[in-house]
């Protein structure tokens, strides 16, 4: 850790002679001053060799690197002497065609007048240096850009943007960046990742932007629509949107609603938002989301067309009996539906035999020399599908040829398959479903969607599985019989859907139990202490679970003693010390824990640049002295630079929200169910949590909280266009058996 002095900030200027490390938010190197003094520097800046800079900061003594200049701010140095100007012109990476000789000639000829002459009389510089006018005009553009960056850095200092972010803004918005940002500071929300409306608004208001400014109202409306998407809704009613914006913006004018409506109408008029009338309501949405749902509805309308490969088959029942004789009645009905239809849906709870049914479908298609493709939304779900079915599987992103920025596959390059089977459909949001179906040629390829309608909806917008289940838009079969070999864990999980939490189960031959219920902790702190005691003395020593690799804590929320933030900090300290004898530093109040080697982490956003998707879990394998990291995701190492915004997308993963763990399975899942979280509780949440366990589920909390959670039914009110577009009189799905249990 650096030891800072109490001296006042100082300024140094010079040329960057060497760069030891350079990232978007941190650089370290050596500066040579005009007097020849060499200065080691490091801090929040982004520089390249040969750049002339002005650094502001303080001298510190680093315990490892000694005396160095701790940079707090920087700008490019445009007040150059003859030598400095010559060096700048000859070595700037963006200035082409000016070597050392011509650079020296320009510097000596124009000196301190260079800035004025270059801007006002570029032809004079071209003539003196014997350069084409076009080359000097390019030099002038780069010089202007550098000057504009300096001005932007000064003005944007209040927003906390890094030098790299400022230069990126200049590159995107041009040399008039400062004028554009002063006119509309909310451009930062759109152009800089990590800067949301509320953060920018707080600073813009301090800098004098009026509450009723048009750009503020516009940004506030777009923020409200974005929040709806984050909540899973694909549209918001016009009047409700105006109400939300009015609450957010708190304008001190009597006609605030009228001003908001005027801005909203303008956003609809220019195509930034769309508005459609449905049943007497006006529904506002992002145009691309609405178009995706309309496209999906049109595609799914073809679901009842005949399966292109078995349309002429006379006796499908005999075919199924021959290839898959072990199927029960419900599973047989599901396979028959798949063989008859172009698009089909199989839904069922834990232990109902969905994966066994997928295996039967795979066998039948392969027996007929047809190409089968299996996929799932996450890497873990795909790996589990592959292991159980015995056929290769991939993530949907990989299947679509996602290259980090765009999807390679599309209508012109459809997926090469005779049948595509998608598992864990409850996790598929609207954008991913749209990309998937537009790459499928339904003239050749049958589609089988498989999911558990009892699980939580996707993290992203929409609820495809719910909309298909309720509308019966495509042929579907509901598997509602728990197969006898499902085991105690699956049976007890299914019981949750009936409002029942069964008691701790009997010991198995291994000495473990499949189901533990510990419900005496009315105080959150007592429940937390018990959970930590399990990690300290029980899970490894008595149950033989690896504390990091086998055990996953699941909780409904991030906040409080039983939320992910507090539990991750406590579990990091405990596990690091117990397994690797590492003392994890206590995080400062309001700050998240520092990552350490061996930590379990999770990606919280699709990162197309790194090729790591939302929900991917990994292990930290290296941390460099500059703060850079290497994380292993599914055996693939991923490097992240120090100060990179990509680090903000990582969180410790010893404890996760139940929602975040969808699609994953763990040998042991510890599920927190406490009355402190009762406002979030419903039986589908608890069901999703306990079904993440492959061998053992441990439920910790209080008796009332658990009973209340199991009693409450989920009211899924996600607003989607698909639910409206697919709406029609319900058609009864094929049932599993006469004596089956309804889920």
């Amino acid at each position: 850790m650096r030891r800072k002095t109490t001296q006042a900030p100082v300024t140094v200027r010079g040329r960057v002679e060497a760069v030891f490390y350079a990232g978007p938010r941190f650089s370290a190197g050596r500066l040579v001053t005009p007097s020849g003094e060499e200065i080691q520097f490091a801090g929040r800046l982004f520089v390249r060799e040969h750049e002339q800079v002005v650094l502001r900061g303080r001298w510190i003594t680093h315990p490892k690197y000694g005396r160095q200049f701790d940079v707090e701010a920087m700008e490019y140095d445009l007040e150059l002497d003859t030598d400095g100007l010559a060096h700048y012109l000859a070595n700037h990476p963006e200035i082409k065609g000016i070597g050392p000789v011509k650079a020296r000639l320009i510097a000596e000829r124009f000196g301190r007048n260079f800035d004025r002459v270059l801007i006002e009389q570029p032809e004079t510089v071209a003539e003196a240096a014997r350069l084409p006018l076009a080359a000097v005009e390019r030099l002038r553009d780069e010089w202007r850009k550098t000057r504009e960056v300096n001005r932007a850095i000064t003005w944007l200092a209040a927003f906390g943007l890094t030098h790299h972010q400022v230069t990126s803004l200049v590159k995107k918005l041009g040399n008039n960046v400062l004028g554009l940002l002063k006119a509309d500071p909310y451009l930062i929300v759109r152009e800089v990742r990590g800067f949301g409306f509320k953060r920018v608004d707080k600073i813009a208001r301090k800098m004098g932007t009026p509450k009723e400014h048009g750009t503020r109202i516009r940004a506030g409306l777009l923020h409200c629509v974005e929040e709806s998407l984050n909540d899973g809704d694909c549209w918001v009613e016009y009047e409700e949107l105006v109400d939300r914006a009015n609450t957010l913006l708190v304008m001190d004018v009597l006609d605030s609603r009228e001003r908001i409506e005027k801005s909203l109408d303008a956003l609809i008029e220019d195509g930034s938002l769309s508005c459609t009338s449905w049943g007497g309501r006006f529904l506002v949405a992002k145009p691309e989301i609405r178009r995706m749902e309309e496209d999906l509805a049109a595609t799914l309308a073809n679901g009842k067309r005949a399966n292109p490969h078995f349309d002429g088959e006379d006796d499908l029942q005999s075919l199924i009996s021959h290839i898959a004789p072990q199927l029960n009645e419900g599973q047989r009905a599901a396979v028959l539906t798949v063989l008859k239809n172009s698009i089909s849906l199989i839904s069922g709870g834990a232990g109902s035999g969905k994966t066994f049914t997928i295996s039967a479908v795979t066998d039948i298609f392969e027996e007929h020399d047809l190409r089968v493709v299996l996929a799932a939304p996450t890497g873990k779900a795909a790996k589990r599908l592959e292991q159980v079915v015995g056929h290769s599987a991939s993530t949907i992103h990989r299947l679509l040829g996602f290259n980090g920025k765009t999807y390679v596959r599309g209508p012109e390059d459809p997926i090469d398959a005779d049948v595509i089977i998608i598992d864990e459909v409850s996790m598929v949001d609207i954008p991913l479903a749209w990309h998937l179906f537009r790459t499928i040629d339904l003239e050749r390829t049958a589609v089988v969607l498989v999911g558990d309608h009892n699980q939580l909806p996707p993290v992203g917008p929409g609820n495809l599985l719910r909309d298909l289940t309720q509308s019966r838009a495509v042929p579907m079969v509901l598997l509602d019989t728990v197969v006898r070999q499902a085991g105690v864990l699956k049976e007890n999980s299914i019981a949750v859907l009936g409002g029942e939490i069964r008691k701790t189960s009997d010991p198995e031959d291994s000495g473990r139990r499949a189901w533990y219920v510990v419900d005496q902790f009315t105080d959150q702190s007592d429940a937390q202490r018990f959970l930590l005691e399990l990690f300290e003395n029980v899970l490894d020593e008595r149950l033989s679970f690896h504390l990091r690799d086998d055990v996953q804590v699941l909780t409904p929320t991030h906040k409080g003693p039983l939320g992910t933030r507090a539990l991750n900090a406590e579990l990091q300290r405990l596990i690091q010390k117990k397994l690797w004898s590492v003392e994890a530093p206590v995080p400062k109040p309001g700050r998240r824990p520092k990552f350490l080697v061996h930590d379990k982490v999770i990606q919280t956003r699709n990162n197309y640049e790194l090729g790591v998707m939302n929900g991917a879990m990994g292990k930290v394998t290296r941390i460099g002295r500059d703060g850079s990291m290497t994380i292993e995701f599914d055996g693939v190492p991923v490097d992240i630079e120090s100060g990179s915004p990509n680090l903000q997308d990582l969180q410790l993963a010893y404890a996760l929200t139940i929602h975040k763990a969808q699609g994953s399975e763990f040998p042991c899942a510890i599920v927190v169910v406490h009355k402190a979280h009762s406002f979030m509780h419903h039986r589908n949440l608890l069901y999703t949590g306990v079904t993440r366990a492959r061998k053992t589920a441990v439920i910790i909390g209080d008796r009332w909280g658990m009973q209340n959670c199991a009693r409450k039914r989920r009211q899924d009110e996600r607003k989607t266009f698909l639910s409206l577009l697919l709406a029609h009189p319900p058609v009864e799905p094929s049932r599993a058996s006469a004596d089956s249990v309804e889920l």
Side-chain angles (χ1 to χ4, degrees), residues 585-618:
V586 178
K588 295 179 181 178
R591 303 292 294 274
R592 67 181 191 175
K594 180 181 179 182
F595 293 127
L596 303 173
V597 174
H598 306 299
D599 270 340
K600 178 162 65 172
V601 297
I602 187 168
Q603 177 75 12
T604 61
R605 183 187 69 90
N606 285 342
N607 190 314
Y608 303 127
E609 178 185 350
L610 297 179
V612 182
M613 297 298 108
N614 187 6
M617 295 178 67

Side-chain angles (χ1 to χ4, degrees), residues 87 130 254 277 361 381 404 485 664 685 694 734:
H87 195 278
R130 299 185 181 89
L254 294 176
S277 175
V361 171
Q485 63 269 34
S664 297
L685 181 79
R694 189 160 59 243
S734 304

